[in-house]
Amino acid sequence: MLAIDDLLGLMARLRDPESGCPWDLAQTFATIAPYTIEEAYEVDDAIRHEAWPELCDELGDLLLQVVFHAQMAREARLFGFDDVVAAISDKLVRRHPNVFGDARVETASEQARAWDAHKAAEREARGVYDLDAVPRALPALMQAAKLARRADRAGLLAPVTEAARDEGDAALGDALFALAARAARTGIDPESALREACERFRARHARA
């Protein structure tokens, strides 16, 4: 049975300056990043369609992205795959004091809130403002939702009315579709428009 070390060895051979693959050798963090994003979406698509054999394959493709980035980082003497494993292992232990410590968490929603609180505290300790930590590379709608959640926790948004809470997913989906249709009919790129709105929101609430 192949182990992770075998995959790491394959990737090292592909990147060998003397006998490796020209395409693999030509890649950089920046050129591989779009493939990493694409593979994550393909994992999501397989899950949505409950295509389990395809999910196994897509997870392998996603793992390859991690190994590829780690190999390039090792070559640049930035970090190695073992450092990646150590970082995520430490993070899992740190953010689950209910499992690895004495904290008590009764429900999944409580754990989700505790996870977010740990992340926020870690960002604060690094001097990173919550809104600044939202990646600009996210799709605009995902970015807007993430900004809104963090802004809401910070009390920067108006309270949600009961009427808005009662609308439900279908009504919200229809409203978003109507906005996308309006943008298409008026020649506006909705992705760009929402990205610009996210930037304006960031600017309004930037930490001084």
Side-chain angles (χ1 to χ4, degrees):
M1 179 181 293
L2 293 177
I4 188 63
D5 285 343
D6 297 297
L7 179 57
L8 293 170
L10 289 172
M11 191 69 249
R13 285 191 63 185
L14 289 170
R15 292 277 299 181
D16 186 284
E18 300 297 327
S19 59
C21 169
W23 186 89
D24 291 275
L25 285 166
Q27 303 313 305
T28 66
F29 293 116
T31 62
I32 289 297
Y35 295 104
T36 308
I37 295 169
E38 180 181 342
E39 296 300 348
Y41 276 116
E42 290 181 0
V43 167
D44 178 76
D45 189 65
I47 292 171
R48 290 175 187 273
H49 290 91
E50 298 185 356
W52 308 129
E54 287 83 351
L55 176 60
C56 179
D57 188 59
E58 298 300 348
L59 286 171
D61 290 343
L62 187 58
L63 176 59
L64 174 61
Q65 299 302 307
V66 178
V67 169
F68 207 139
H69 283 288
Q71 174 63 27
M72 291 188 291
R74 187 183 69 80
E75 294 165 4
R77 299 187 178 183
L78 299 172
F79 55 84
F81 184 80
D82 288 348
D83 299 306
V84 175
V85 173
I88 187 58
S89 298
D90 290 345
K91 185 180 295 183
L92 286 173
V93 172
R94 190 169 65 248
R95 293 184 182 174
H96 287 89
N98 55 311
V99 175
F100 303 105
D102 299 326
R104 291 181 58 83
V105 173
E106 302 295 338
T107 66
S109 59
E110 286 181 14
Q111 173 57 31
R113 288 193 296 272
W115 180 278
D116 284 342
H118 280 292
K119 288 175 66 175
E122 289 167 7
R123 286 192 294 269
E124 185 70 24
R126 298 197 310 271
V128 177
Y129 183 38
D130 244 10
L131 299 186
D132 291 339
V134 176
R136 285 176 165 81
L138 288 174
L141 189 56
M142 191 182 299
Q143 182 184 162
K146 205 171 185 69
L147 283 170
R149 283 194 296 272
R150 294 190 180 180
D152 195 33
R153 287 201 300 268
L156 300 175
L157 297 181
V160 178
T161 64
E162 286 303 316
R165 291 185 189 279
D166 293 339
E167 283 183 352
D169 291 353
L172 182 58
D174 289 343
L176 290 170
F177 185 86
L179 286 173
R182 175 183 169 189
R185 295 178 70 183
T186 54
I188 296 172
D189 176 20
E191 180 77 8
S192 296
L194 186 52
R195 282 188 181 280
E196 290 170 6
C198 287
E199 287 304 312
R200 291 194 297 272
F201 185 85
R202 289 175 188 268
R204 283 198 303 272
H205 298 290
R207 175 175 283 182

